[in-house]
Amino acid sequence: MAGPELESLEQCLEKHLPLADLREVKRILYGKETRELNLPRKALEAASEKDFELRGYAFEAAEEQRRGPRIVRVGLVQNRIPLPTSAPVVEQVSALHRRIEGIVEVAAMCGVNIICFQEAWTMPFAFCTREKLPWTEFAESAEDGFTTRFCQKLAKKHDMVVVSPILERDRDHGGVLWNTAVVISNSGAVMGKTRKNHIPRVGDFNESTYYMEGNLGHPVFQTQFGRIAVNICYGRHHPLNWLMYSINGAEIIFNPSATIGELSESLWPIEARNAAIANHCFTCAINRVGQEHFPNEFTSGDGKKAHHDFGYFYGSSYVAAPDGSRTPGLSRNQDGLLVAELNLNLCQQMNDIWNFKMTGRYEMYARELAEAVKSNYRPTILNEYLTSAPACQCGKGQLPLPPTNAFKNVPDGF
Amino acid sequence: MAGPELESLEQCLEKHLPLADLREVKRILYGKETRELNLPRKALEAASEKDFELRGYAFEAAEEQRRGPRIVRVGLVQNRIPLPTSAPVVEQVSALHRRIEGIVEVAAMCGVNIICFQEAWTMPFAFCTREKLPWTEFAESAEDGFTTRFCQKLAKKHDMVVVSPILERDRDHGGVLWNTAVVISNSGAVMGKTRKNHIPRVGDFNESTYYMEGNLGHPVFQTQFGRIAVNICYGRHHPLNWLMYSINGAEIIFNPSATIGELSESLWPIEARNAAIANHCFTCAINRVGQEHFPNEFTSGDGKKAHHDFGYFYGSSYVAAPDGSRTPGLSRNQDGLLVAELNLNLCQQMNDIWNFKMTGRYEMYARELAEAVKSNYRPTILNEYLTSAPACQCGKGQLPLPPTNAFKNVPDGF
């Protein structure tokens, strides 16, 4: 359970369901079916040689008279760490660079225009240990660190926008750490960076002792291939985070993540997809894969014995579209590259059909939220015994008793 | 497709998947399994006699030292309209009252403490017709209309909180219409009302020509059995609507709806469940079931021929919990009562584990939203050719060319 046993949900359904039922189940679970891409044979062969899964799907949009189709191919990369966490830092980073370089080459063969790697991709997800060294040695400058320069070369060579989520050392502001994604243009130029806005305080995700909530707001990057934003990991649990990227114009929001089976696997298919629906945009959910072991044992605040591993990263990276449809997930236990061809016209088309932005009443919510954060805020709670509550429409038949918290305990089969 | 063919997703999976695979698929799709309730035999017999589905599930929570379990049973009702839409208005309402009375009796046998009916439950969902008469004759006073008085009797008789979503005629404010839910205490007193905050402007949901966006904010009702709120139908697409009910203290948010297969069926399992996760509360998604035919034909703005029906209401009502788990859905093609036993302690427990409220940064969003609605708002868009954008971290290697919208059209299998 929550380990590597199951290859993928979709493969399991495809294996067992009769075709007519499978079609209905997929319609309800996934919406309109995505077309499988016919990827180049040499790319498939290279992926197989390099031992990673390669899959491709396309989302269609209706034809328009005044715009041609706005087709972009995105690549989502999920990967294990190639070396043990006890290897020297520089060797671990180099091995990750080599691994990613190989995957990006295959992405280029598949015509990928924008590629995004997993959260903190140059390191093991070591925050579970609560140790600072050697893990903070993986931090780099976003603007001109070793990894950013590596990604600039990749971007220029392959004419590909690269989204590179790293642990950032901010030398210009006291040398503090951030969880950051660097966005590099297909020209090779660093377009800018964006930071993780919400830092988890849950389980072994002890990230709040390593870095603070991002201070760069909700920037959107106008690339040659469309407007993109990056909502890093735990930010996917916060609908307002997605919303602000969308209000700022993002057509594709990447969500590079690192999350484990026991904590979040049943939430994984829900949150990024809900964000695509609610914001009329594409979302790209990327998770790590496999298990990472650490040299020193640690406990997890759950009453269990000390151990050396963080739990199982279940992969399952996927893309969701503004019409609520989605690709199948990548494998739960293999490195992988998911290529998705998006027609960005679908964003505006869904916006015009559903009109969530038009009906969003953001002025009301700006006002209500501003009130709600005040220390003297009194939420609107109607109580049949307190007729003074605001907007209360209390009716007849009021009883003289105060409300009780006496819940009825109803036994089964009474 | 999107019609009555499939009974339910869950029954289909249970029929075909081997047990071990089924367990894994359910874990990924639904999270922690809900326990099936052992409902009283007389209730099951009565449901069978009255020809509706009756199912019950329980959500558990951890034991606490300082609070006992806070157990509440909610009932979700989905039903067809019993009479044709051409029958006299009063007869249609009476038939619906009788149908609901029978279902509520069974709910009482099952120990239900709070029951919620479907959206505009006293009428067919006639807004697709764009006709005013006779449909607006279904509107009633929320405070002392025929239906509210009927629900007060039910509430008092069965010691049950009743959530009654109706078409409201507001005589005190020019006789305008609202889409409203009346909340009636188990004492029989009207606790108040709450109105649909977001009105659809999509497809045949021509509701914006019948009533306006609700003006009562986000009230929460302190019942004897817990704090409840009602997010009516299209409000479920708006994450901020759920959030404000939750900030105001709702532990259970009902979502009485009326929605059809072709439009929304693949979004249905996502949105209310995402809201339960994001807001650490229970959500109860209720949909109509079956097909409603109208006397005069109408078109749907989709290029298709005029027709007499609104599409297929797919039922599938369900309850989602703050830990992301959920019950199976009720049938896609049968009236039904879903009984769910909730331990409300789970809300605070999940709040303390995930901490979304603590990490929500609502001050920042109140500020950002207030800015975003201004007519002169300039979203933060970073462009490698415009270094003046706020917070821009543009790097080296800038090109002299302006950004193009020249998307690469990548053929399959190139």
Side-chain angles (χ1 to χ4, degrees):
Chain A
M1 67 151 258
E5 298 78 10
L6 190 73
E7 173 68 25
S8 92
L9 178 72
E10 295 80 15
Q11 287 183 22
C12 178
L13 298 179
E14 272 162 24
K15 186 167 148 197
H16 296 295
L17 296 184
L19 206 63
D21 284 341
L22 180 65
R23 202 173 301 127
E24 276 295 275
V25 165
K26 277 193 172 173
R27 179 181 67 77
I28 293 175
L29 283 183
Y30 288 165
K32 191 179 160 190
E33 200 159 0
T34 49
R35 176 169 58 83
E36 233 172 300
L37 282 178
N38 185 9
L39 295 172
R41 181 173 303 171
K42 63 175 180 179
L44 291 162
E45 283 168 2
S48 163
E49 250 168 53
K50 293 173 206 245
D51 192 26
F52 68 87
E53 186 187 14
L54 172 61
R55 289 183 175 265
Y57 302 92
F59 295 93
E60 326 262 333
E63 271 191 34
E64 299 182 19
Q65 294 190 23
R66 301 194 54 187
R67 298 193 298 188
R70 296 166 63 231
I71 306 293
V72 50
R73 285 198 177 182
V74 295
L76 286 65
V77 181
Q78 66 176 39
N79 60 282
R80 295 165 180 274
I81 48 171
L83 292 186
T85 59
S86 53
V89 166
V90 173
E91 286 179 23
Q92 289 189 57
V93 175
S94 295
L96 276 157
H97 281 196
R98 282 195 301 275
R99 180 59 169 156
I100 287 298
E101 190 170 29
I103 296 178
V104 171
E105 267 164 29
V106 176
M109 294 178 201
C110 297
V112 164
N113 307 112
I114 309 175
I115 198 158
C116 182
F117 311 138
Q118 65 198 19
E119 184 184 17
W121 73 271
T122 60
M123 61 183 292
F125 211 69
F127 313 111
C128 54
T129 64
R130 293 187 288 129
E131 304 155 353
K132 293 296 166 112
L133 288 175
W135 317 117
T136 55
E137 297 190 70
F138 285 91
E140 302 184 39
S141 156
E143 285 72 27
D144 56 9
F146 181 45
T147 293
T148 295
R149 279 181 282 126
F150 167 76
C151 292
Q152 287 182 283
K153 272 183 229 143
L154 284 184
K156 195 161 184 177
K157 176 174 176 190
H158 297 299
D159 190 21
M160 197 185 291
V161 173
V162 173
V163 180
S164 168
I166 60 168
L167 184 63
E168 178 194 3
R169 173 79 68 187
D170 185 1
R171 286 175 308 208
D172 294 343
H173 297 88
V176 298
L177 298 176
W178 298 99
N179 186 315
T180 297
V182 186
V183 178
I184 295 150
S185 166
N186 52 316
S187 71
V190 177
M191 294 187 72
K193 64 187 175 188
T194 180
R195 288 174 175 154
K196 186 167 177 169
N197 276 327
H198 301 267
I199 308 299
R201 290 147 203 262
V202 43
D204 272 342
F205 294 80
N206 304 298
E207 296 162 66
S208 61
T209 61
Y210 288 85
Y211 38 78
M212 301 297 285
E213 280 74 13
N215 58 353
L216 298 180
H218 294 87
V220 166
F221 299 86
Q222 172 71 64
T223 75
Q224 189 189 322
F225 312 107
R227 288 187 172 174
I228 68 172
V230 193
N231 174 348
I232 303 175
C233 196
Y234 185 72
R236 80 178 169 283
H237 306 300
H238 291 276
L240 274 160
N241 202 32
W242 297 101
L243 176 69
M244 278 313 304
Y245 290 119
S246 164
I247 283 180
N248 282 345
E251 297 168 299
I252 308 168
I253 306 178
F254 293 94
N255 176 232
S257 298
T259 184
I260 55 172
E262 291 205 29
L263 182 70
S264 67
E265 192 161 0
S266 68
L267 318 186
W268 182 251
I270 302 296
E271 294 165 305
R273 191 163 158 221
N274 190 75
I277 297 165
N279 298 297
H280 309 309
C281 65
F282 289 93
T283 60
C284 302
I286 301 169
N287 188 19
R288 286 181 177 238
V289 66
Q291 198 142 21
E292 300 177 356
H293 296 269
F294 294 93
N296 301 320
E297 68 176 11
F298 58 92
T299 56
S300 297
D302 58 1
K304 292 185 187 152
K305 272 197 174 331
H307 50 95
H308 290 264
D309 69 282
F310 190 6
Y312 191 73
F313 295 109
Y314 51 82
S316 308
S317 304
Y318 70 96
V319 178
D323 63 359
S325 63
R326 58 158 285 185
T327 68
L330 283 180
S331 160
R332 295 181 69 259
N333 45 33
Q334 219 192 328
D335 287 10
L337 167 66
L338 177 63
V339 178
E341 181 177 297
L342 322 176
N343 184 341
L344 297 183
N345 286 355
L346 190 60
C347 301
Q348 183 174 294
Q349 288 174 14
M350 293 314 297
N351 201 338
D352 288 352
I353 288 174
W354 278 106
N355 286 319
F356 298 154
K357 289 282 192 318
M358 192 162 90
T359 58
R361 306 186 74 181
Y362 302 125
E363 263 182 280
M364 174 178 76
Y365 289 109
R367 220 165 41 232
E368 288 190 22
L369 277 177
E371 282 303 308
V373 294
K374 290 185 182 164
S375 59
N376 62 350
Y377 179 62
R378 291 283 304 273
T380 310
I381 299 177
L382 306 188
N383 183 317
E384 83 182 277
Y385 308 97
L386 293 170
T387 51
S388 63
C392 181
Q393 307 282 342
C394 293
K396 307 157 195 87
Q398 290 177 18
L399 298 181
L401 297 169
T404 71
N405 275 318
F407 285 79
K408 289 190 253 187
N409 278 277
V410 185
D412 282 2
F414 58 97
Chain B
M1 69 151 256
E5 298 78 11
L6 190 75
E7 173 67 24
S8 92
L9 178 73
E10 295 79 15
Q11 286 183 23
C12 179
L13 297 180
E14 271 160 24
K15 189 166 147 197
H16 296 293
L17 295 184
L19 206 63
D21 284 341
L22 181 65
R23 203 174 300 127
E24 276 293 277
V25 164
K26 276 191 172 175
R27 179 182 65 78
I28 293 174
L29 283 183
Y30 288 166
K32 192 178 158 190
E33 200 158 2
T34 49
R35 176 168 58 82
E36 232 173 299
L37 281 177
N38 185 9
L39 295 172
R41 180 173 305 170
K42 64 176 180 180
L44 291 162
E45 284 167 2
S48 163
E49 250 167 55
K50 292 173 206 245
D51 192 26
F52 68 87
E53 185 186 16
L54 172 60
R55 292 184 173 263
Y57 303 91
F59 296 91
E60 325 263 334
E63 272 190 36
E64 299 182 19
Q65 294 190 23
R66 301 192 57 185
R67 299 192 298 187
R70 297 165 64 231
I71 306 293
V72 51
R73 285 198 177 183
V74 295
L76 285 65
V77 181
Q78 66 177 40
N79 60 281
R80 294 164 182 274
I81 48 172
L83 292 186
T85 59
S86 54
V89 167
V90 173
E91 287 179 23
Q92 289 189 58
V93 175
S94 296
L96 276 156
H97 281 196
R98 282 195 301 276
R99 180 58 169 157
I100 288 297
E101 190 169 30
I103 296 178
V104 171
E105 266 163 28
V106 177
M109 295 177 200
C110 297
V112 164
N113 307 112
I114 309 174
I115 198 158
C116 181
F117 311 138
Q118 65 199 18
E119 183 184 18
W121 73 271
T122 61
M123 61 182 293
F125 212 69
F127 313 111
C128 53
T129 64
R130 291 187 289 129
E131 303 155 353
K132 294 294 165 113
L133 289 176
W135 317 116
T136 56
E137 296 190 70
F138 284 91
E140 301 184 41
S141 157
E143 284 73 26
D144 57 8
F146 182 45
T147 293
T148 295
R149 279 180 283 125
F150 166 77
C151 291
Q152 288 182 282
K153 273 183 226 139
L154 285 184
K156 195 161 185 177
K157 177 175 176 191
H158 297 299
D159 191 20
M160 196 184 291
V161 173
V162 174
V163 180
S164 169
I166 61 168
L167 184 63
E168 178 194 4
R169 173 79 68 189
D170 186 2
R171 284 175 311 209
D172 294 342
H173 296 89
V176 298
L177 298 176
W178 298 99
N179 187 316
T180 298
V182 186
V183 178
I184 296 151
S185 165
N186 52 317
S187 71
V190 176
M191 294 187 73
K193 63 187 174 188
T194 180
R195 287 174 175 154
K196 184 167 179 168
N197 276 327
H198 300 267
I199 309 299
R201 292 148 202 260
V202 43
D204 272 343
F205 294 80
N206 303 299
E207 295 163 67
S208 62
T209 60
Y210 288 84
Y211 37 77
M212 301 297 286
E213 280 75 13
N215 59 352
L216 298 179
H218 294 86
V220 166
F221 299 85
Q222 173 71 65
T223 75
Q224 190 189 322
F225 311 108
R227 288 187 172 173
I228 68 171
V230 194
N231 175 348
I232 304 176
C233 197
Y234 185 71
R236 82 179 167 281
H237 306 300
H238 292 276
L240 274 160
N241 202 32
W242 298 101
L243 176 69
M244 278 313 303
Y245 290 120
S246 164
I247 284 180
N248 282 344
E251 297 167 300
I252 309 168
I253 306 177
F254 292 96
N255 176 232
S257 299
T259 184
I260 54 172
E262 292 206 29
L263 183 68
S264 67
E265 193 160 1
S266 67
L267 317 186
W268 182 250
I270 302 295
E271 293 165 308
R273 191 163 158 223
N274 189 74
I277 297 164
N279 299 295
H280 309 308
C281 66
F282 289 93
T283 60
C284 302
I286 301 169
N287 189 18
R288 287 180 175 237
V289 66
Q291 198 141 22
E292 301 178 355
H293 296 268
F294 294 93
N296 301 319
E297 66 176 12
F298 58 92
T299 54
S300 298
D302 58 1
K304 292 184 188 152
K305 272 198 173 326
H307 50 96
H308 290 265
D309 69 283
F310 191 6
Y312 191 74
F313 295 108
Y314 52 82
S316 308
S317 303
Y318 70 96
V319 177
D323 64 358
S325 63
R326 56 158 287 183
T327 68
L330 283 180
S331 160
R332 295 181 69 258
N333 45 32
Q334 218 191 329
D335 288 10
L337 168 65
L338 176 63
V339 178
E341 183 177 296
L342 322 177
N343 184 341
L344 296 183
N345 286 355
L346 189 59
C347 301
Q348 185 175 292
Q349 288 174 14
M350 294 314 298
N351 201 338
D352 288 352
I353 288 175
W354 278 106
N355 287 317
F356 299 154
K357 289 283 192 318
M358 193 163 91
T359 57
R361 305 188 73 181
Y362 302 125
E363 264 182 278
M364 173 179 76
Y365 290 109
R367 220 167 40 233
E368 289 190 22
L369 276 177
E371 283 303 309
V373 295
K374 289 184 182 164
S375 59
N376 61 350
Y377 179 61
R378 292 280 303 272
T380 310
I381 298 178
L382 305 190
N383 184 317
E384 85 181 274
Y385 307 99
L386 293 171
T387 51
S388 63
C392 182
Q393 305 283 343
C394 293
K396 308 157 192 86
Q398 290 178 19
L399 296 181
L401 296 169
T404 72
N405 276 317
F407 284 79
K408 288 191 253 188
N409 279 276
V410 186
D412 281 0
F414 58 97

